[in-house]
Amino acid sequence: MPERGKPPLVLVLSDNPEFFAPLTDTSHEFFFWRGNDPTADHGRPLSFSGPLHEPATFAFAAGRDIITLVDFKDESNISNAVRTIHGAAPEAAFLVLYDAEAPKLGDDVPAHCVRWADMLHNELDGEIARVQTRKRILQLQEFAGSVKLLPILLHPDPDPDAIACAFALRTLLRRPADTCPIVTPVFMTRPENRRMAELLKIRITETSKEDMGRFERVICVDCQPPQLDVEHVAHIGVIDHHPEEKGYFAELLDIRVEYGAASTILTQYLRVDDERRIDEPLATALLYGIKTDTLSLTRGVTSADVRAYAFLQARADIELLHKIEQPSNPQELVRTFGSALHTMA
């Protein structure tokens, strides 16, 4: 498993690595392959050499999260490199560039193949992000597997961001509510959060410490295990945007502290997997999650939050969003308020 807390390495395997040299100005850490001879001294600290079919060529990247950019004219070079790296590091992801016909790499390889002609219309950094997201989706699907019960666990008194993430995660996993319940130790107290769940038909169940002790596998969204009573759960997944806490182990971990909302992470997942699954109710929920956690994009946002917000705004039910933001008062409260006014009169 890759070492936690370190950024991914991007390995550039190409007939012409110098073409990709400007990429070093981006936020990623790049290592360039410069031929088959492992004894060659290139005088470059961020380069490596060796046969593409030899695992030793890529040994320096062991223990790191890996994204591999592959650009070879010879398809055998592509398959050799992908097969070798995937065998040594199954969690590695691949962005493969090609001219005419996409190479056949197998469904089990988290690879995104892009024609050079199409690449000219997209930012390479954005394509690398898509590859990384695709890899995370595969890891999530592997974690969920065929387990019969997979609760999605929210923090006590969940807010819109947490509720939206749970709704999106269950959609991404293509699971019904009875096998993938949304649970929380403490139910929502704020009326707009209750209204959100009611109008979007999202069932959230309050669960006890004893019930959580019977769970074998859970996914925590917009929160982390130290906030919850999950020390007896054998298999834990975490998707969050808050600072990483210590004292727990998660088999699945996606924490992005730079993001303003966890809903941005789930929006990225769904857009890479199949954005057609983001219907009006789900878009409304995710938009509200980002809106509340970032104070309408005025607090702690990144370009990823802005892109997700713009995408969701075009798909959301804005009238429904206004109903959630300004919920009608419960009838009992209205009657109580009316009685008080009558008494004052």
Side-chain angles (χ1 to χ4, degrees):
M1 177 176 292
E3 187 176 346
R4 289 167 61 169
K6 287 192 174 183
L9 296 182
V10 180
L11 309 184
V12 179
L13 311 179
S14 173
D15 295 317
N16 185 21
E18 294 299 336
F19 182 83
F20 298 95
L23 291 174
T24 55
D25 293 332
T26 70
S27 59
H28 300 285
E29 186 177 3
F30 288 83
F31 281 75
F32 296 84
W33 180 78
R34 299 190 181 278
N36 287 328
D37 184 2
T39 64
D41 180 8
H42 303 290
R44 300 170 183 266
L46 300 183
S47 64
F48 66 102
S49 300
L52 295 172
H53 63 278
E54 291 288 345
T57 300
F58 309 100
F60 73 95
R64 294 291 297 272
D65 198 5
I66 301 170
I67 299 172
T68 306
L69 193 159
V70 186
D71 171 43
F72 288 119
K73 300 296 184 183
D74 187 344
E75 188 168 330
S76 65
N77 282 339
I78 297 176
S79 59
N80 281 338
V82 171
R83 189 181 303 114
T84 303
I85 295 174
H86 183 64
E91 71 282 353
F94 299 86
L95 173 61
V96 179
L97 303 175
Y98 66 95
D99 288 323
E101 185 176 348
K104 297 177 176 58
L105 302 173
D107 295 335
D108 61 325
V109 179
H112 181 46
C113 298
V114 182
R115 290 177 65 246
W116 264 112
D118 297 330
M119 194 75 225
L120 297 176
H121 301 287
N122 299 284
E123 292 184 7
L124 187 56
D125 213 31
E127 291 295 342
I128 290 173
R130 285 178 62 84
V131 170
Q132 194 168 18
T133 299
R134 193 180 301 277
K135 181 190 71 173
R136 284 168 168 156
I137 292 171
L138 289 175
Q139 292 172 338
L140 176 61
Q141 292 170 340
E142 182 179 352
F143 178 83
S146 58
V147 63
K148 292 183 179 179
L149 181 66
L150 182 64
I152 299 174
L153 186 55
L154 309 183
H155 55 74
D157 193 7
D159 61 3
D161 190 28
I163 297 169
C165 285
F167 186 18
L169 180 57
R170 190 162 64 192
T171 300
L172 178 67
L173 294 174
R174 294 169 170 79
R175 280 179 170 260
D178 57 342
T179 70
C180 194
I182 301 172
V183 299
T184 177
V186 179
F187 201 63
M188 293 92 70
T189 59
R190 295 178 67 89
E192 59 269 34
N193 297 350
R194 288 174 176 263
R195 182 73 166 177
M196 175 186 182
E198 175 190 343
L199 290 176
L200 294 172
K201 297 180 173 57
I202 305 171
R203 188 173 67 198
I204 300 173
T205 305
E206 185 173 298
T207 187
S208 65
K209 182 177 181 179
E210 291 73 23
D211 288 334
M212 281 195 279
R214 289 191 284 269
F215 296 154
E216 294 183 2
R217 185 177 297 259
V218 301
I219 299 182
C220 306
V221 295
D222 197 37
C223 61
Q224 295 174 46
Q227 308 169 29
L228 309 159
D229 295 312
V230 293
E231 51 273 357
H232 300 301
V233 178
H235 308 282
I236 297 174
V238 174
I239 301 174
D240 193 17
H241 71 118
H242 297 99
E244 183 175 353
E245 301 181 29
K246 304 300 180 183
Y248 72 91
F249 171 76
E251 294 180 11
L252 174 77
L253 189 69
D254 188 359
I255 297 178
R256 308 188 206 179
V257 296
E258 70 276 15
Y259 281 20
S263 290
T264 299
I265 301 174
L266 269 300
T267 300
Q268 289 181 338
Y269 279 3
L270 284 162
R271 292 194 68 182
V272 169
D273 183 64
D274 184 359
E275 66 180 31
R276 293 171 300 180
R277 299 183 64 80
I278 307 179
D279 57 13
E280 270 196 349
L282 181 53
T284 304
L286 290 167
L287 180 63
Y288 189 45
I290 298 174
K291 187 174 184 180
T292 54
D293 255 35
T294 65
L295 294 180
S296 298
L297 300 182
T298 63
R299 178 183 66 186
V301 298
T302 65
S303 58
D305 296 299
V306 175
R307 285 194 297 269
Y309 191 95
F311 172 82
L312 295 166
Q313 193 171 41
R315 289 181 173 236
D317 184 336
I318 302 303
E319 182 178 348
L320 178 60
L321 181 62
H322 291 160
K323 289 181 180 179
I324 295 172
E325 291 177 315
Q326 299 177 341
S328 58
N329 291 315
Q331 291 185 3
E332 183 179 347
L333 178 59
V334 173
R335 285 196 295 269
T336 301
F337 187 58
S339 297
L341 289 176
H342 179 73
T343 302
M344 290 175 63

